[in-house]
Amino acid sequence: MLTTDVHFLSRHVIVLPAFVEQPTLFGGLEPRRRCCYSLTGAMQFSGRRRKINANPQTELYGHALQFYGQPPLENISLSEFETFAVDRLKLLKTIENLGVSYVKLSEQYSKKLEAEFKTLSFPYRPEADDRKTQTGPSELEKRRKDHISHFILRLAYCQTEDLRRWFIQQEVDLFRYRFNNLPPKQKLEFLHRNNLQYDTINVEEKKSLLDKLVNSSYAVSGITVEDQDFYKVPFQDALDLVRTRKVYLKAGYVYIPHQDIVTIVLNDFRTRLSKALALTARSLPAVHSDERLQPLLNHLGHAYVGQDYSIQKNVGKISLEQIDSLSGKSFPLCMRQLHQSLRENHHLRHGGRMQYGLFLKGIGLSLEQALQFWRSEFIRGKVDADKFDKAYAYSIRHMFGKEGKRTDYTPYSCMKVILSNAPSQGDHHGCPFRHNDPELLKQKLQLYKVSPSGISQILELVKGMHYQLACQKYFELTHNIEDASFSLNHPNQYFIESQKVLGGGKDIKREMDTSQRSQENGVTKGFVSARETPANASQDLAEMTEDLDSFFQDA
Amino acid sequence: MPASNYDQACLQDLLPLYYKRLFPFAQYYRWLNYGGVQKNYFQNREFSFTLKDDIYVRYQSFSTQGELEKEMQKMNPYKIDIGAIYSHRPNQHNTVKSGTFQALEKELVFDIDMTDYDDVRSCCSAADICSKCWTLMTIAIRILDRALREDFGFQHLLWVYSGRRGVHCWVCDEAARKLSVAARSAVAEYLSLVKGGEQTVKKVVLSDPIHPFIRESLTVVDHYFTQYALQDQDILGRKESVDKVLALVPEDVRKDLQQDFKNEKKPETRWKLIEDQAIRKQSTAKKGQHFEKEIMLQYCYPRLDVNVSKGVNHLLKSPFSVHPKTGRISVPMDIKELDTFDPFAVPTISLICEELDRPRTGEEDEKSEDIKDKENEKDGAERRKIRDYKKTSLGKYVKYFDRFLDGMARSWKGDLLRKSDLQKEF
């Protein structure tokens, strides 16, 4: 096995690996002195290396759940580094997908998630018993993996706003699931261990607020008020409860029964993680200078998104005249709806312009084409050419990264369309399966000549909140095929798949073939290549990173 | 009420006069400086100006009140927006290492725009407003003001008329200014009940239990509903309106009501029939049959743009800015006189410029004259810098703004004392 070590020392300080005896995955490296780099770049010598033995480990991992306050203090091998990171990433991706398809913490959600925990060897049992009743790692070992993998992913996901947001969202969902599974006594223990002390209200106050408390939450009855402690928490610490109006709010404080304290804990977790990621980002240069870690970390950071359609392929292959017919044949319902509204009203509000504009960019419209497209449509409405050039052209150029921050905005994925920026009065964006009234959705599908049985299948999926599956069904019905053979997670993916089915473009087909081929190569190759000689190192790297991609092609 | 004829073409000539003699710079600075409790608070504030010919400039910032005055009198902006307090002076943001220039604080703001109600008002649409639909703003202000004060504990709220078709709220409490993006979004969501775009028919859905916040809001709506909805908007009068209302009740109830309405034409009675149906449904212990409340809320409850409130760096029209299309000044509103507030009585820039020469003595003199009183300008501006707004209709609004600032100043005093204690200054 490999002997190169990665040594986490103190908070966000990485010790570069010690002398290597055998060739590593990344080719022969010069031996390095054992030293470490602090946040400020000053060199310090470590004297604090912990030995791994059973006792400290039991101490450290005595509890099933943790806030990940302290980074790991041990050596791990490079292969563990890889495995742990990839496994955790798979877990987080599962969490993301389950979260969109099922209600969080529902029975199906929990069952599926628990299965994933077992498959990937992550801890899910509140009691740690070292009895190896089955083959495989012990509960303690799983907790250690949980701990270390979290910190590795921090390195990969701290770098941009988008990555941070995604990582935090999934870790919070993961935490929520695991906290929920703790027995009540352990929940209390956890609170006290982590210094979440809020004031409770006295009996008189409870009495006077009884009606309000009972009416603020479905889960709170008169008995709840009598029996449980109610905590007075500043509203900034309980945003989830405030946002959904699931709690009584008075003079800036929310009144939370003990049973609901989990939301507070989640908020706290989210805040801590957010701050920690910002700190980690600042110490990243030290990590990036290690050539063994850098490719893996980079790749982890990109893998979750899969294809984001930000790099424009086939620019200019589509002419503006084709758009009307394409919208009926190859656009997902959301974009078809936006296109129709645009044609009818000669206008779209900001949310619609962004969602549709970026999609068009993704299918290959050039900036010039886009400007012409929007301009000619808006002019038919209430906007004169002058006003368009002043007000709207800027934002289109912005979309293409030609103004302002020069960020090249990426077309929205299904996740983004479904979960953020819900449409309000006057808007036509969003996901029709999520945001349209079922009755209106039905009418629309009828208008688009979807069969009655097909419509009811779609509505059934919508009822179960499987919006992407509903869209996939729409794809199948409108393209007259049995099985879409892809997992829909992006409107531009819908377009490409549709063009494939309709027989358009050899280029597109070729791209799909390449990715399919790497998928067929299988999962194991990445780790086997660790044994190969230095000469093949760079080739192995390429293959390993290609295989990582294949893990995540399927949403 | 007198309001001189306003013509957008005159703006070019009126603005210099407005900024020289009428704009309340002292009060404005007093506000944005927040008592000087935090260092560089005013200096790091972003302003943006829209100049003649739609030229838009961002990242304006000023070191002192004097500098602000001078620059504004030089540029004569058509529109002024206020942004966030940044980590560095906005006008130097290009010199700051990329990534470190950040928006840190800003008032919590809300923007209620009449166009968001187009699907439920029959008297006007788009940019128009009238006394009939203005009630929607009154309702919105009452509901939001109560919630922000009683539920969230905020105390220093400044409500401002936007000048055309809406109102803004600036929550100036320290706690509000320090809110994160997530917190602002949570507050806005808490206050949102009307959800859905063009593709949604039923925009308000209530389920048991009815949260105290919703009950309080319904109380407010109830107070105005008969006059506003049943009479002024006549939602149960014309057939199309009636159909729209009935689309919001369950199908079986709808059929009954359609039958009843054939014989009953009086809106108030029709509404009573709807209410009775609701009560009947609720007593059969079926969950979530609150359609009468849902109708009231869909037609009257405030519709806010969450995106305006969410962003710390979002720019919002400044109070005392002029609205170029109407000429009206964005004036602070005294909530105590909310029910008598008349947007059409808000002074325009042409009126107050005119009043500079002929102070308001209660006469209504409608002749609009060219303002070419150069002599007055030279005298007043340099030496005494007496704000002549007192002579004009703008006076009462500035006075109210003063009282608002006095209220905040009490808390600044406490903060300053606390700070100096900490620093052990004597």
Side-chain angles (χ1 to χ4, degrees):
Chain A
M1 209 60 274
L2 300 164
T3 59
T4 50
D5 297 334
V6 175
H7 186 184
F8 295 94
L9 190 58
S10 59
R11 190 177 287 260
H12 309 301
V13 170
I14 313 279
V15 169
L16 290 179
F19 183 79
V20 312
E21 286 168 324
Q22 286 178 8
T24 72
L25 176 65
F26 296 88
L29 288 176
E30 294 300 312
R32 295 173 192 270
R33 287 175 65 209
R34 182 186 301 282
C35 62
C36 61
Y37 294 85
S38 70
L39 281 175
T40 58
M43 303 239 294
Q44 310 164 307
F45 285 91
S46 106
R48 285 173 53 195
R49 208 184 56 187
R50 259 188 178 210
K51 283 204 195 289
I52 306 170
N53 56 41
N55 286 345
Q57 200 173 42
T58 350
E59 232 176 64
L60 186 60
Y61 299 119
H63 305 281
L65 192 56
Q66 55 162 308
F67 260 155
Y68 307 106
Q70 291 304 315
L73 297 177
E74 49 168 293
N75 297 334
I76 68 165
S77 66
L78 202 54
S79 94
E80 258 191 332
F81 188 90
E82 272 176 49
T83 325
F84 283 8
V86 171
D87 280 355
R88 193 182 192 86
L89 189 50
K90 279 172 157 175
L91 181 65
L92 294 186
K93 265 233 111 198
T94 306
I95 287 176
E96 179 183 30
N97 287 332
L98 290 179
V100 172
S101 312
Y102 302 99
V103 176
K104 291 179 196 174
L105 304 186
S106 68
E107 216 192 294
Q108 287 171 301
Y109 178 93
S110 304
K111 263 214 200 104
K112 292 195 179 234
L113 192 47
E114 189 175 312
E116 190 74 1
F117 271 67
K118 288 193 180 134
T119 319
L120 295 169
S121 298
F122 276 99
Y124 62 93
R125 297 213 309 266
E127 300 306 327
D129 46 31
D130 223 350
R131 288 175 285 137
K132 286 206 173 182
T133 49
Q134 76 269 40
T135 52
S138 69
E139 199 59 30
L140 280 178
E141 282 166 3
K142 293 183 191 173
R143 289 178 188 181
R144 172 178 168 268
K145 172 173 175 172
D146 174 55
H147 184 208
I148 294 175
S149 62
H150 171 88
F151 275 89
I152 298 175
L153 287 194
R154 276 197 196 183
L155 296 175
Y157 283 86
C158 64
Q159 299 175 63
T160 71
E161 187 63 51
D162 275 342
L163 289 176
R164 282 201 287 261
R165 201 177 302 139
W166 183 87
F167 182 65
I168 291 174
Q169 182 60 50
Q170 311 321 320
E171 285 284 343
V172 165
D173 283 345
L174 173 61
F175 189 91
R176 177 191 291 115
Y177 171 76
R178 293 167 68 190
F179 186 81
N180 213 55
N181 276 352
L182 290 177
K185 208 184 76 170
Q186 285 202 24
K187 279 194 179 123
L188 247 169
E189 226 183 276
F190 183 87
L191 284 181
H192 289 160
R193 233 192 312 131
N194 289 283
N195 293 320
L196 290 170
Q197 322 267 12
Y198 293 115
D199 291 332
T200 52
I201 60 176
N202 59 31
V203 187
E204 286 89 59
E205 207 176 344
K206 264 207 267 184
K207 265 215 196 103
S208 69
L209 294 176
L210 177 63
D211 269 333
K212 302 253 163 79
L213 292 174
V214 169
N215 281 317
S216 301
S217 165
Y218 190 70
V220 172
S221 65
I223 302 181
T224 321
V225 179
E226 244 187 76
D227 289 348
Q228 290 192 30
D229 274 333
F230 270 73
Y231 299 81
K232 217 169 124 173
V233 176
F235 84 88
Q236 291 91 330
D237 290 356
L239 292 181
D240 278 341
L241 291 175
V242 170
R243 181 193 312 274
T244 52
R245 222 181 293 112
K246 287 211 166 91
V247 70
Y248 179 56
L249 175 63
K250 185 170 102 155
Y253 285 91
V254 296
Y255 293 74
I256 303 192
H258 183 84
Q259 71 198 21
D260 285 339
I261 212 74
V262 60
T263 356
I264 309 304
V265 176
L266 281 180
N267 239 53
D268 201 77
F269 178 69
R270 186 188 274 117
T271 318
R272 292 188 198 204
L273 186 53
S274 188
K275 290 202 182 120
L277 284 179
L279 272 176
T280 313
R282 267 180 250 160
S283 70
L284 224 39
V287 180
H288 272 190
S289 63
D290 186 334
E291 296 115 48
R292 279 160 298 189
L293 303 183
Q294 198 231 27
L296 179 69
L297 291 177
N298 262 343
H299 220 77
L300 286 173
H302 289 124
Y304 91 89
V305 156
Q307 226 189 323
D308 63 2
Y309 306 94
S310 60
I311 301 166
Q312 278 196 298
K313 306 184 170 99
N314 312 311
V315 178
K317 289 239 170 84
I318 299 199
S319 76
L320 295 183
E321 291 77 46
Q322 291 178 282
I323 293 189
D324 276 324
S325 95
L326 281 174
S327 78
K329 290 193 291 189
S330 292
F331 282 11
L333 194 59
C334 54
M335 304 302 174
R336 187 174 185 180
Q337 178 173 288
L338 280 166
H339 181 75
Q340 193 173 355
S341 306
L342 176 63
R343 286 281 188 235
E344 276 171 18
N345 306 319
H346 310 301
H347 189 269
L348 273 183
R349 280 176 144 211
H350 181 257
R353 292 201 301 273
M354 287 302 285
Q355 185 176 323
Y356 188 39
L358 288 171
F359 169 77
L360 289 175
K361 185 173 89 146
I363 68 174
L365 246 58
S366 69
L367 174 58
E368 289 68 40
Q369 284 181 303
L371 284 168
Q372 197 189 334
F373 175 72
W374 291 99
R375 195 169 192 271
S376 63
E377 199 55 53
F378 271 49
I379 287 182
R380 286 204 201 111
K382 297 194 201 144
V383 177
D384 63 58
D386 219 23
K387 174 152 191 218
F388 179 86
D389 289 333
K390 271 193 202 150
Y392 296 101
Y394 176 91
S395 77
I396 296 169
R397 282 203 302 279
H398 209 274
M399 260 189 244
F400 279 75
K402 303 274 184 253
E403 295 282 356
K405 279 195 302 186
R406 318 240 157 198
T407 324
D408 208 10
Y409 288 96
T410 55
Y412 296 170
S413 63
C414 287
M415 205 74 77
K416 179 153 183 173
V417 172
I418 291 171
L419 294 177
S420 61
N421 200 16
S424 45
Q425 175 60 27
D427 288 326
H428 297 271
H429 63 264
C431 170
F433 301 102
R434 162 81 178 85
H435 295 118
N436 287 19
D437 242 15
E439 197 48 49
L440 288 176
L441 176 63
K442 182 167 159 190
Q443 285 171 25
K444 195 154 257 190
L445 292 170
Q446 282 167 341
L447 185 69
Y448 294 156
K449 303 213 175 42
V450 178
S451 70
S453 66
I455 294 182
S456 36
Q457 280 178 16
I458 290 180
L459 291 179
E460 207 47 53
L461 287 167
V462 166
K463 217 155 95 176
M465 290 169 47
H466 308 305
Y467 309 118
Q468 285 155 275
L469 293 176
C471 193
Q472 238 172 268
K473 176 93 342 211
Y474 170 77
F475 181 94
E476 286 161 9
L477 293 163
T478 51
H479 289 75
N480 247 310
I481 57 177
E482 277 291 322
D483 180 16
S485 78
F486 66 93
S487 222
L488 180 66
N489 63 8
H490 201 293
N492 287 90
Q493 176 195 21
Y494 183 108
F495 179 79
I496 290 179
E497 290 292 335
S498 169
Q499 289 286 289
K500 252 179 70 183
V501 170
L502 299 174
K506 286 207 193 113
D507 302 316
I508 300 172
K509 195 162 189 299
R510 216 177 296 130
E511 278 159 36
M512 297 311 292
D513 283 346
T514 333
S515 60
Q516 269 172 1
R517 189 172 53 77
S518 65
Q519 219 165 333
E520 280 152 11
N521 278 345
V523 163
T524 53
K525 212 153 178 239
F527 303 120
V528 170
S529 54
R531 299 245 168 83
E532 296 186 17
T533 56
N536 295 336
S538 53
Q539 189 195 10
D540 294 341
L541 173 59
E543 278 178 5
M544 184 191 89
T545 54
E546 199 176 81
D547 288 335
L548 265 181
D549 253 343
S550 74
F551 289 158
F552 304 109
Q553 278 295 3
D554 270 333
Chain B
M1 285 299 295
S4 274
N5 296 330
Y6 167 75
D7 181 355
Q8 201 161 339
C10 302
L11 209 49
Q12 208 179 325
D13 300 315
L14 297 174
L15 284 173
L17 188 57
Y18 179 65
Y19 290 125
K20 265 242 154 47
R21 293 178 65 187
L22 291 163
F23 190 92
F25 285 106
Q27 286 83 352
Y28 200 64
Y29 178 81
R30 191 179 170 213
W31 170 35
L32 295 175
N33 192 37
Y34 283 96
V37 176
Q38 270 173 257
K39 252 182 91 179
N40 288 324
Y41 217 55
F42 181 79
Q43 289 74 8
N44 288 349
R45 170 82 72 164
E46 180 193 0
F47 297 85
S48 76
F49 295 150
T50 307
L51 309 175
K52 200 163 76 119
D53 296 328
D54 276 332
I55 299 174
Y56 182 66
V57 290
R58 267 193 77 173
Y59 298 112
Q60 306 297 297
S61 61
F62 312 98
S63 320
T64 59
Q65 177 186 332
E67 195 184 312
L68 173 73
E69 271 191 61
K70 219 174 76 187
E71 287 304 308
M72 278 175 64
Q73 282 157 2
K74 197 164 78 177
M75 295 201 255
N76 289 306
Y78 276 42
K79 282 198 262 186
I80 307 165
D81 289 332
I82 300 179
I85 293 131
Y86 282 80
S87 50
H88 307 75
R89 289 181 187 219
N91 65 4
Q92 294 172 356
H93 74 285
N94 286 319
T95 67
V96 175
K97 193 170 91 162
S98 92
T100 44
F101 179 69
Q102 297 191 352
L104 300 178
E105 297 185 14
K106 191 175 70 74
E107 295 76 8
L108 172 63
V109 294
F110 297 93
D111 181 349
I112 320 278
D113 189 327
M114 200 68 92
T115 46
D116 289 337
Y117 296 81
D118 278 356
D119 61 325
V120 290
R121 54 174 183 150
S122 55
C123 47
C124 313
S125 69
D128 298 324
I129 58 167
C130 70
S131 55
K132 282 196 196 150
C133 49
W134 184 256
T135 315
L136 286 170
M137 293 294 120
T138 309
I139 296 174
I141 295 176
R142 287 233 181 275
I143 290 179
L144 296 176
D145 195 78
R146 185 215 68 79
L148 289 166
R149 286 181 200 280
E150 291 176 17
D151 294 6
F152 286 97
F154 296 124
Q155 296 176 314
H156 305 290
L157 276 60
L158 184 69
W159 286 96
V160 181
Y161 172 53
S162 77
R164 189 163 60 155
R165 62 184 193 219
V167 294
H168 302 154
C169 179
W170 296 77
V171 186
C172 301
D173 297 56
E174 189 184 346
R177 285 179 268 132
K178 291 177 153 48
L179 288 177
S180 64
V181 171
R184 285 163 207 260
S185 139
V187 174
E189 293 284 345
Y190 176 91
L191 298 170
S192 298
L193 278 178
V194 182
K195 307 215 167 116
E198 295 290 309
Q199 307 291 343
T200 314
V201 172
K202 200 154 169 59
K203 298 192 166 73
V204 181
V205 178
L206 300 179
S207 52
D208 287 313
I210 307 273
H211 192 277
F213 165 76
I214 299 180
R215 286 211 186 273
E216 293 282 347
S217 307
L218 277 166
T219 310
V220 176
V221 173
D222 214 24
H223 178 84
Y224 294 91
F225 190 71
T226 308
Q227 175 71 49
Y228 165 72
L230 299 179
Q231 287 165 15
D232 292 344
Q233 294 291 329
D234 198 24
I235 63 175
L236 290 177
R238 290 168 304 122
K239 184 170 187 311
E240 315 90 66
S241 300
V242 174
D243 286 343
K244 268 170 123 182
V245 175
L246 291 184
L248 303 177
V249 313
E251 215 174 314
D252 51 341
V253 175
R254 195 180 314 150
K255 292 206 164 65
D256 284 346
L257 289 170
Q258 276 164 343
Q259 226 2 73
D260 294 335
F261 284 9
K262 288 196 180 129
N263 304 322
E264 184 50 68
K265 303 290 180 191
K266 202 152 166 267
E268 282 88 336
T269 326
R270 284 181 163 181
W271 178 248
K272 184 93 189 8
L273 288 169
I274 295 181
E275 280 184 314
D276 288 342
Q277 284 276 5
I279 296 174
R280 211 173 304 149
K281 276 280 187 177
Q282 278 151 33
S283 66
T284 65
K286 222 176 171 211
K287 284 214 205 118
Q289 293 288 10
H290 299 288
F291 51 86
E292 91 286 21
K293 304 185 181 71
E294 288 161 352
I295 292 172
M296 288 172 76
L297 294 172
Q298 184 153 337
Y299 276 82
C300 302
Y301 185 86
R303 300 170 177 213
L304 22 110
D305 186 350
V306 176
N307 290 315
V308 169
S309 309
K310 261 199 332 207
V312 178
N313 54 4
H314 189 99
L315 290 148
L316 186 65
K317 188 156 192 263
S318 167
F320 297 106
S321 183
V322 183
H323 197 299
K325 295 226 166 63
T326 61
R328 297 206 193 270
I329 312 291
S330 268
V331 292
M333 297 165 68
D334 187 351
I335 301 303
K336 290 207 201 72
E337 312 196 344
L338 182 59
D339 281 318
T340 54
F341 181 85
D342 178 8
F344 298 102
V346 170
T348 61
I349 186 174
S350 19
L351 174 69
I352 56 180
C353 285
E354 195 184 314
E355 286 172 335
L356 272 177
D357 302 324
R358 281 171 309 131
R360 295 175 75 246
T361 54
E363 256 77 75
E364 38 303 311
D365 194 349
E366 297 279 8
K367 278 203 308 207
S368 68
E369 297 175 0
D370 282 323
I371 320 285
K372 278 197 182 105
D373 231 351
K374 297 290 183 195
E375 300 153 33
N376 270 9
E377 274 179 49
K378 269 189 226 147
D379 273 339
E382 260 101 346
R383 297 285 183 69
R384 293 155 296 157
K385 285 208 177 175
I386 294 175
R387 287 298 141 203
D388 299 293
Y389 59 77
K390 292 193 190 139
K391 289 202 272 180
T392 69
S393 307
L394 195 61
K396 81 168 187 181
Y397 298 100
V398 181
K399 209 164 161 199
Y400 170 70
F401 191 45
D402 267 326
R403 290 206 306 274
F404 169 75
L405 294 172
D406 289 339
M408 281 212 289
R410 284 189 276 273
S411 62
W412 299 335
K413 238 194 191 166
D415 291 337
L416 278 169
L417 280 173
R418 237 175 297 132
K419 252 188 133 185
S420 68
D421 275 348
L422 286 172
Q423 292 162 7
K424 297 205 192 328
E425 285 173 15
F426 296 103

